[in-house]
Amino acid sequence: MSESHSPVSRPLSSHLRIYEPLESFSPKERERIKAGLLGKGGREDLDAAETDATLDRIVSRADDPFPPEGAEFTRALTVNGTTLYCPSQLVLRSGLAAESVISSAPRILAELMLPEQARERHQRRVDRIAAETASPRINTRESLWGIPFSWFVLFQESDPTEVVEEGDHVRTVRIVATWAKAIGRARFAVANLALAAPDMSMLDELTSLTEWLEQFHPDSVIELDYGRVADRVFPDESCLDVRLGIECLAEGDLTGAAAAYRRLASRWIPIRQLARAS
């Protein structure tokens, strides 16, 4: 791996992924899923290949920063003897990211980063893939420089957890929950926050998260992949702290809720501040 592709050059990113049964995808999606599995190696190899492909597009001199249709990766997870799949959907996700840049960045900067001709070519790719899709859903959510507190609502300490180590460092931590458990926890939290703290920003986040989960097959599983941020926080009790905070609010225990938030803040605010570090 080249020097420019060293882990130091990459922002800390975490992912929330939904793995679905193969039958929940359209025939064309299944073809891309199978192609994305071929020759990509194990999970760590796949993660590295996907990141390197992204960095290659960033430093490329070509006038099209978007991924081609063939640049797709597929993650597979076997649960209770059933293999489930999470396609990377790079074309669709990069299209959404481009829309966000165009709507939020200054026009000159947006056009420099995303040339109009490249955007038009990519939109044709997006339209073509969207037309072949069983339903318009995105299986992966990404967060840079920290994990949104709302994501922790979907998981508990008893859920299956994999700690991936590399030498003296934690490369990542992956927690898995069934769709039924995750959406049940999200709905419970939404109901309690709606009564106890209707103005809390997490309520809006959880409502959006619940609506997203409702798009997927009920036999799916949800995975929280900490990524390299795990090395800075593991062992982590954020799932417990978020749950305790919501329960305290529901019981009117503002002191307990504030204590849970302080524990979360002391753990995650320093990481989020890295995004602004020089």
Side-chain angles (χ1 to χ4, degrees):
M1 187 177 295
S2 67
E3 181 69 17
S4 63
H5 291 198
S6 67
V8 175
S9 64
R10 305 169 188 169
L12 299 177
S13 62
S14 305
H15 295 84
L16 192 62
R17 300 188 179 99
I18 297 188
Y19 293 75
E20 296 184 272
L22 196 59
E23 61 266 24
S24 64
F25 298 95
S26 70
K28 283 291 187 180
E29 287 178 298
R30 295 175 198 175
E31 292 179 11
R32 284 193 291 273
I33 284 171
K34 292 176 181 178
L37 286 169
L38 298 177
K40 299 297 194 298
R43 282 291 302 265
E44 277 63 52
D45 292 334
L46 192 151
D47 290 345
E50 188 176 55
T51 301
D52 285 350
T54 300
L55 291 174
D56 285 340
R57 289 194 298 273
I58 291 173
V59 302
S60 172
R61 295 183 179 180
D63 62 352
D64 189 346
F66 294 99
E69 288 187 37
E72 295 289 350
F73 299 83
T74 301
R75 289 169 175 80
L77 193 63
T78 301
V79 179
N80 297 328
T82 301
T83 301
L84 307 171
Y85 302 91
C86 179
S88 60
Q89 301 170 300
L90 293 178
V91 171
L92 296 178
R93 288 166 57 200
S94 60
L96 292 174
E99 290 179 8
S100 176
V101 170
I102 295 299
S103 62
S104 61
R107 179 177 177 181
I108 294 178
L109 178 59
E111 291 180 352
L112 180 63
M113 296 170 59
L114 305 169
E116 184 175 356
Q117 289 186 345
R119 296 202 309 272
E120 291 175 352
R121 286 195 299 269
H122 188 71
Q123 187 59 49
R124 289 194 288 271
R125 295 183 199 126
V126 170
D127 293 342
R128 193 157 50 244
I129 290 178
E132 302 168 351
T133 301
S135 61
R137 63 194 188 281
I138 299 296
N139 289 61
T140 301
R141 290 192 170 196
E142 181 178 20
S143 177
L144 299 180
W145 305 111
I147 297 175
F149 294 164
S150 59
W151 291 10
F152 292 115
V153 169
L154 308 182
F155 305 92
Q156 292 187 6
E157 314 83 73
S158 58
D159 292 331
T161 301
E162 178 187 15
V163 180
V164 182
E165 297 181 292
E166 186 176 49
D168 296 331
H169 298 279
V170 179
R171 183 179 185 124
T172 189
V173 172
R174 302 186 184 110
I175 309 176
V176 174
T178 64
W179 180 90
K181 286 183 177 179
I183 200 165
R185 293 163 181 169
R187 288 169 175 167
F188 177 82
V190 166
N192 278 280
L193 288 179
L195 292 173
D199 297 327
M200 193 174 182
S201 61
M202 186 186 285
L203 176 58
D204 292 335
E205 295 174 17
L206 277 171
T207 300
S208 174
L209 198 59
T210 303
E211 292 171 350
W212 177 62
L213 290 172
E214 288 171 344
Q215 301 176 58
F216 296 93
H217 196 285
D219 291 333
S220 302
V221 299
I222 322 300
E223 177 191 75
L224 172 57
D225 188 343
Y226 276 61
R228 291 188 302 109
V229 76
D231 196 44
R232 295 176 179 267
V233 299
F234 190 80
D236 180 35
E237 296 185 336
S238 295
C239 293
L240 175 60
D241 287 333
V242 168
R243 187 170 74 255
L244 289 176
I246 293 174
E247 290 175 353
C248 286
L249 284 174
E251 296 169 0
D253 180 6
L254 299 184
T255 301
Y261 177 77
R262 282 196 298 271
R263 291 192 295 272
L264 286 164
S266 66
R267 189 179 303 131
W268 290 102
I269 287 179
I271 293 173
R272 292 173 181 172
Q273 289 174 336
L274 292 174
R276 298 185 292 274
S278 58

